[in-house]
Amino acid sequence: MANTTQPDTIPPRSIGELLRHRAARSPDALALCAPGRPPLTYGALYALVERAAGELNALGLGRGAPVAVVLPNGPEMAAGFLATASCAVCAPLNPAYTADEFDFYLSDLGARALIVPAGSGSPAVAVAERHGVPVVGLSPVADAGAGSFALAGPAAPAAGRPGLSGPEDEALVLHTSGTTSRPKQVPLTHANLCASAHAVASTLRLGADDRCLNVMPLFHIHGLVGALLSSLAAGASVACTPGFYASDFFAWMEELSPTWYTAVPTIHQSVLARAAASRETLARAPLRFIRSSSSALPPSVMAEMERVFGVPVVESYGMTEAAHQMASNPLPPGERRPGSVGRAAGPEVAVMDASGSLLPPGSTGEVVIRGPSVTAGYRGDPAANGRAFSGGWLRTGDQGRLDADGYLYITGRIKELINRGGEKVAPREVDEALLEHPAVAQALAFAIPHPTLGEEVGAAVVLRPGAAATERSLREFALLRLAAFKVPRRIVVLDEIPRGPTGKLQRIGLASKLGVAHDPGPAAPAGEHTPPRSPVEELLAGMWAEVLGTGPVGVHDGFVQLGGDSMLAARLAARLRDELGVELPPLDFLDASTVAELAPKVEAQLLAADGPGPGAPALDAPL
């Protein structure tokens, strides 16, 4: 069967035009399906969208009118998005929001209506009624094709701008995550969405024989464009699930026979954990590739997925402001480079310095984009637009570099970089080091506020089923793979790492969520150099000065701050063993990071051995 779609001479530039084109070309081809439901054809889908658009127009909702949509994941949400976006501005919201969150989003959007399941008890309904926002009920049509629905709402004057929207009309508005500031509105036109959908379809060589198993939420750009619109742009079908449920994933694969699925790395890792028990399903599945996007996929996870599933894994790079896809690794025989998010696959991609100058290949800076899929700017926020756009390029907030072949490597979110005493630590590098440990299934590094260093490195890990590892053993493992200042000071072992509503792990604020604070240890006096106060402190300070190549070492000077690393820590450990008969692992030089903190450990071993070893000073010798 052919899997390559034949590009149209002029690809459709609006959702209505795209669906009309597909309905005219292949009216009986399957568009939407769902577990336990009959499928919906392209002909039926376009008829549904056209009818629903007329109903929304009759309720006073037309082009440019923001309509909040709060529906559970599934085929009705998919069809409801297509219908609303085709004639108004769809603003899908997470059904799990609280009343306060709905109050913010409905007010911020200036929503002209709220679409919810008929009879819904969502707190959004009470909030909408309090604000005088009309509530429209959506009812699935029993026994009809997946996604079929009927609308009912209060009478209103007809829309001032009726009919299906055009390419430059807004189709979708989403909010940024707002982890560190007030969420911003990202408006996307039909032209933006269609450009990105066609880019994904082209990258993945989607054709009419393909079917995407969508487990991503349809209030997020990944699910809306990466799964739904990209499939429709290629004349393929989408299997619309209620969301991601690890226990149901392989049953859906068996029932719906997808040729691919797209998800965030945490979902892939959850699927991997259950794959061993579903080998027969995997053997029968017609999968030809798996796609990963929205956050970094560790190379070790990619390798395991390809081994287990027996198909290529394609890592892509996207963001809301670009209507999802910005770069992607190609399918074979194109070269996929583990650790890279691939080459530009939609907008232009470049790397820029802080002054706004583009950087050459190999240089690290901020990733910037421009092109037909990129938003023209945040809604009603000129200050944010001034910060985000530079010379026609949109600053993504990601740090990365392009190699000589145009492959992009993301080193982290600029706001997520951990600034440890002036040393910049990329959390992703720490993640990948910990994920090499055979007991670790998931890892997420994050910043811990520190009174003198500014920030310290922490990490949360989830162990593989049946595996065991201590915080100490994990830190010692990391020390063999990372510079000393990058080794997490704290590692918290969890059953599950907290994640956002789209399944993405969230680093910012994680220390506070987990209750992880800096352990100050013994108080160190501020101010001038403090000389050794005991024979052991004097001996240790002398060793440090020799090994680190510094001048006199004070008892409160930090080992890492003086230039210490894992190799130098190993040299010091060897000298202590040879000269004093004291056994201390190199990690102790990082944990007990000053002479004053390390000296009691050395003294304790010397006393336990009834005195110092050959050549060492007596513990009670005068200075």
Side-chain angles (χ1 to χ4, degrees), residues 545-611:
E546 290 179 30
V547 171
L548 296 171
T550 67
V553 173
V555 298
H556 298 302
D557 294 337
F559 176 73
V560 174
Q561 285 69 36
L562 291 174
D565 58 22
S566 56
M567 293 183 64
L568 294 176
R571 287 179 58 188
L572 278 170
R575 285 194 60 176
L576 280 176
R577 183 179 61 249
D578 295 342
E579 297 180 23
L580 298 181
V582 170
E583 294 284 349
L584 288 180
L587 191 59
D588 277 4
F589 291 90
L590 308 179
D591 285 348
S593 57
T594 67
V595 168
E597 292 173 293
L598 193 65
K601 295 190 174 189
V602 174
E603 290 174 352
Q605 286 202 33
L606 292 175
L607 288 170
D610 296 322

Side-chain angles (χ1 to χ4, degrees), residues 53 97 156 282 370 424 490:
Y97 281 154
L282 284 177
R370 67 182 180 187
K424 298 295 192 294
R490 288 290 313 279

